[in-house]
Amino acid sequence: MATTGLTRGMGSFFKECEHPESRWSKCPHEYKIRYRNAAGRQTEESGFATQDKAKTRLAEVYHARKNSPQSQRKAERIQK
């Protein structure tokens, strides 16, 4: 299982098959993503047909987590 990282803290996407990473674009297996949710626990989602769909979902989760009210309150506490 090879893992490809994105922006630090965003998560990763991968395939759990025996195909080398260079052949993933032609491989019929689905992509999986792994990231830390808002509670800080590792979460895994699967069922992404293309690399772009997996990256888009990772970006959605990352931006939702970064723009959540909880992180804004923490930032205000740190600033004080």
Side-chain angles (χ1 to χ4, degrees), residues 49-69:
T50 65
Q51 203 175 55
D52 290 334
K53 289 180 181 178
K55 286 181 179 179
T56 301
R57 176 64 181 144
L58 277 173
E60 289 172 3
V61 171
Y62 179 76
H63 292 300
R65 190 177 74 220
K66 290 298 178 185
N67 294 328
S68 71

Side-chain angles (χ1 to χ4, degrees), residues 33-60:
I33 61 172
R34 188 177 294 147
Y35 60 91
R36 297 271 175 193
N37 63 18
R41 296 184 183 263
Q42 185 168 311
T43 305
E44 193 170 291
E45 293 180 19
S46 62
F48 300 98
T50 65
Q51 203 175 55
D52 290 334
K53 289 180 181 178
K55 286 181 179 179
T56 301
R57 176 64 181 144
L58 277 173
E60 289 172 3

